[in-house]
Amino acid sequence: MSTDSKPNFFSIVISVLAALFGVQTEGNRQRDFSKGHPGIFIGVGVIFIVLFVVTLLLIVNWVLP
């Protein structure tokens, strides 16, 4: 993908996941800040964090009787 183009939904998801794990590349970070809309990244990030917390709660409730 070119660094000059606006990020699509798939690249936004990959960027958010990489940022959550702390392995985002500098080129992608620059593209996201220059071409992307911050609200979309914040929204996708919040959705992934909520899914993560719900998954942890389900696993804990499944493991503990």
Side-chain angles (χ1 to χ4, degrees):
M1 175 193 251
S2 172
T3 58
D4 294 337
S5 65
K6 184 177 179 181
N8 59 20
F9 181 73
F10 182 71
S11 65
I12 290 172
V13 169
I14 296 298
S15 289
V16 168
L17 287 174
L20 287 173
F21 283 106
V23 295
Q24 181 71 288
T25 62
E26 181 64 21
N28 286 347
R29 189 185 68 79
Q30 290 293 332
R31 180 204 61 215
D32 295 344
F33 277 101
S34 65
K35 304 288 183 186
H37 188 271
I40 295 172
F41 289 97
I42 293 169
V44 172
V46 167
I47 289 169
F48 277 124
I49 290 171
V50 168
L51 288 175
F52 177 72
V53 170
V54 168
T55 302
L56 285 179
L57 287 173
L58 290 174
I59 291 171
V60 168
N61 286 329
W62 178 65
V63 170
L64 298 177

